[in-house]
Amino acid sequence: MKYDLLHTEIYQTPCPECKAISFPITNENLSNYFHGIKMNCPKCNANLDWWSLLLRHFDWEVPSYTYAIVGGFTTSLRIYMKVGEIFTLNLEEIGIPKESKILQISYTPNGNGLFPIELHGNTPARHYIPNIINLYGRPMGEPSGETPVAVQINWAEKLNDNQIWENIINAVESFTVKDYNSCIIPSNVSVESTLHNIMTKYFSPFSAKDRVEDFLNNGATYSHQLNLLLPLIAHSNSFPKMPDNIRGNLNKLRGYRNSLAHKGKTDKQIDKKTVSELICSAAFGLSYLNLLEEKINGNLKKTDDNLPASPNRNNPNG
């Protein structure tokens, strides 16, 4: 397998004015957005609104930019193929972990001679991209001894304890193939499950586990958690409240989810603009919840560290 590995990266978001500088999609930048910290392009001084910056990625319909919002990597390389020969592309050999989810691959010949064709068995899998791909060099254009082919692979890490994040990745994957209805439930599940887990941990010191579960499942359900308990918990931990536009979109997302779950359809067709805002809000909502959880855990540690020593403290037999 002859190839040149170019780079692996998470695509950054470019300045909307000068386009000359790009900014990484990181928790630090998202935290600045939630805390209302002003960001400006260091070259053209344009004001950077993080929500507007990332929402643009859905308009571009370029998978590498869309997946970047949910932590998707892009690996770029150049392979060298010959007409009539089979090139075996082993993704693990080029540094993509075996358990990763492969989201999309593109092949672009950088010269004449051939066009790469994926080979498969007599029963091809339509919704799964394997880690080992066989490419056949089909003749095309002027003959050439060897043709360089640019390969771009979008992928996401697949962790055993990261099922919630995989839901939002599935939503973006559905978006890229314009299956908008299939974006709704996984987007909602990713936020609702994360919020429920935070609430469970937050209230567990105050009551028995079964009472907390009953409270969250039958009393303060998702809508109450999102619109009442979450702002209260954020305030008590000196953390900014979730931006109203994101919380409002998450409420809309919940409504669409309920329609699909109970009626099998939505009252009106979900269009690209709507689903873009819903998925983007889910991604922002997840980041907000993760940052809030970090703040809660940090506050708990500070409280624990400041507790006075006692004969029984840190003594498992006390």
Side-chain angles (χ1 to χ4, degrees):
M1 184 172 76
K2 182 181 177 182
Y3 69 92
D4 297 324
L5 184 61
L6 303 180
H7 51 75
T8 292
E9 62 180 334
I10 295 179
Y11 271 36
Q12 301 186 23
T13 188
C15 173
E17 298 297 331
C18 69
K19 312 292 192 301
I21 296 181
S22 295
F23 307 88
I25 303 171
T26 62
N27 276 341
E28 180 180 0
N29 282 331
L30 284 163
S31 179
N32 288 338
Y33 170 77
F34 293 129
H35 283 85
I37 298 174
K38 188 177 180 180
M39 295 177 62
N40 293 88
C41 175
K43 181 173 183 178
C44 69
N45 202 41
N47 181 44
L48 304 175
D49 176 68
W50 208 241
W51 167 260
S52 299
L53 286 178
L54 298 193
L55 187 60
R56 298 177 305 162
H57 290 216
F58 290 92
D59 287 332
W60 295 337
E61 294 189 353
V62 178
S64 297
Y65 279 103
T66 312
Y67 284 119
I69 297 175
V70 292
F73 291 91
T74 297
T75 295
S76 299
L77 65 152
R78 185 180 295 110
I79 64 177
Y80 298 88
M81 298 182 62
K82 295 181 179 180
V83 170
E85 292 187 1
I86 295 176
F87 185 99
T88 299
L89 178 60
N90 189 320
L91 303 188
E92 191 174 1
E93 288 185 11
I94 63 173
I96 297 177
K98 185 177 181 180
E99 297 302 318
S100 300
K101 181 172 183 177
I102 310 304
L103 301 165
Q104 185 259 359
I105 304 181
S106 64
Y107 313 101
T108 306
N110 289 165
N112 291 318
L114 60 79
F115 191 87
I117 303 295
E118 281 191 5
L119 300 178
H120 51 71
N122 62 331
T123 308
R126 301 294 184 186
H127 305 290
Y128 167 74
I129 302 176
N131 291 83
I132 297 178
I133 299 167
N134 292 311
L135 299 170
Y136 174 76
R138 177 189 175 187
M140 187 182 74
E142 295 294 325
S144 176
E146 190 176 64
T147 302
V149 176
V151 180
Q152 190 174 69
I153 306 162
N154 294 304
W155 57 279
E157 291 185 278
K158 192 171 184 179
L159 306 176
N160 292 332
D161 59 349
N162 203 21
Q163 295 298 319
I164 290 175
W165 198 256
E166 283 186 31
N167 276 291
I168 194 67
I169 291 173
N170 290 338
V172 176
E173 190 173 21
S174 295
F175 177 85
T176 62
V177 295
K178 297 180 172 56
D179 184 5
Y180 297 149
N181 277 2
S182 295
C183 301
I184 299 301
I185 290 179
S187 294
N188 186 82
V189 167
S190 65
V191 178
E192 184 172 349
S193 298
T194 302
L195 181 57
H196 184 275
N197 291 341
I198 290 175
M199 294 290 168
T200 299
K201 291 178 184 177
Y202 190 84
F203 288 109
S204 61
F206 306 108
S207 188
K209 180 179 178 181
D210 58 340
R211 290 184 179 275
V212 172
E213 285 295 326
D214 180 65
F215 170 64
L216 296 176
N217 291 331
N218 302 310
T221 54
Y222 176 49
S223 177
H224 299 98
Q225 294 172 36
L226 177 65
N227 296 295
L228 181 61
L229 294 181
L230 180 60
L232 178 64
I233 291 172
H235 179 75
S236 66
N237 283 274
S238 301
F239 196 78
K241 72 172 186 176
M242 180 181 286
D244 288 341
N245 67 309
I246 294 174
R247 184 175 54 82
N249 282 331
L250 292 179
N251 280 310
K252 291 180 184 177
L253 179 63
R254 174 176 54 84
Y256 281 119
R257 178 266 171 201
N258 290 341
S259 294
L260 286 172
H262 301 308
K263 298 188 293 185
K265 62 179 183 178
T266 57
D267 293 333
K268 63 179 181 178
Q269 184 67 32
I270 302 174
D271 58 23
K272 177 186 173 183
K273 180 179 183 298
T274 298
V275 79
S276 297
E277 293 176 350
L278 296 179
I279 299 175
C280 198
S281 294
F284 269 72
L286 273 177
S287 297
Y288 175 89
L289 293 174
N290 290 332
L291 289 166
L292 173 60
E293 187 172 26
E294 288 180 9
K295 183 64 185 293
I296 293 171
N297 292 338
N299 288 344
L300 289 175
K301 186 178 185 305
K302 288 180 183 178
T303 300
D304 188 60
D305 289 343
N306 290 330
L307 287 175
S310 67
N312 293 333
R313 193 169 180 223
N314 299 324
N315 181 2
N317 298 317

